[in-house]
Amino acid sequence: MRGPVRRAAVLPVGAGLAVAAALLLIGTVTDSSASCPRTASAHTSGTGAATSGTAAAARTVAVTYASGATVAAPRARRPAPVLTWTDLDGNPISLAAFREEVVVLNVWDSWCAPCRAEAGDLALPSGEVRGAGVRFLGINTRDRDRDAARSFVRAHGLDFPSLHDPTGALLLRFPPEVLNPQTIPSTLVVDREGRVAVAIGGAVSAGRLKPLIDRVAAEG
């Protein structure tokens, strides 16, 4: 029997005209009755022929709730975009610098109640797996005030850096079937080759996340 599912915060319609316009262009679909986004119903193959959503899902990693999250087969993984940005203190960070390490990317916002609920669960595994070639990296979105974001980090004891992305520009670099910019929090596990192995929409617990991280880290 499935346990209760934590709801993710969905951004208000007026959060940003530029982001909304971009979402319309890429065709992102969000279910108004649930917090987790639907994936696209069809993809295009290398020959240009459209395939069904079922066939595409077998080939590519897709966002899901934490309760149903699995590690995608290597052939099903999509490459994560190269992110080069600044953290909450203005220091430059590049995702490319973490190649050959497993990277856990967590999207959060200081006003987001589910983000506050899961913050402690992120702090625990981030410390446990640091010596196993695993790095945590946050993407702080929608917080124009860096002070509010830094206060969130201190309050929840987060010991990993976060990229400051107030407009959501970084989120739009990901394929929408892997990361829905409207779903906060979201968590991705990126393998050592820079591919998204796990995509979670909504809050996740340490008990659910840690085994997924361990499986990707064990790939060598």
Side-chain angles (χ1 to χ4, degrees), residues 21 30 45 103 117 131 177 184 189:
T30 302
S45 69
V103 179
E177 64 268 27
I184 302 175
V189 180

Side-chain angles (χ1 to χ4, degrees), residues 118-132:
E118 77 168 4
D121 278 311
L122 293 176
L124 178 63
S126 70
E128 291 179 344
V129 300
R130 188 175 297 122

Side-chain angles (χ1 to χ4, degrees), residues 139-180:
I139 301 179
N140 168 238
T141 189
R142 302 294 182 265
D143 270 323
R144 297 190 178 275
D145 184 358
R146 289 176 187 253
D147 288 337
R150 286 192 288 257
S151 294
F152 180 95
V153 169
R154 289 193 300 270
H156 296 285
L158 300 181
D159 60 355
F160 53 86
S162 287
L163 304 175
H164 185 230
D165 183 29
T167 65
L170 294 181
L171 307 186
L172 291 173
R173 297 184 185 181
F174 290 85
E177 64 268 27
V178 170
L179 178 63
N180 187 333

Side-chain angles (χ1 to χ4, degrees), residues 13 65 84 125 188 206:
V13 174
Y65 286 118
T84 300
L188 306 179

Side-chain angles (χ1 to χ4, degrees), residues 61-79:
V61 64
V63 66
T64 187
Y65 286 118
S67 59
T70 60
V71 176
R75 67 180 181 277
R77 299 174 188 177
R78 303 286 297 272

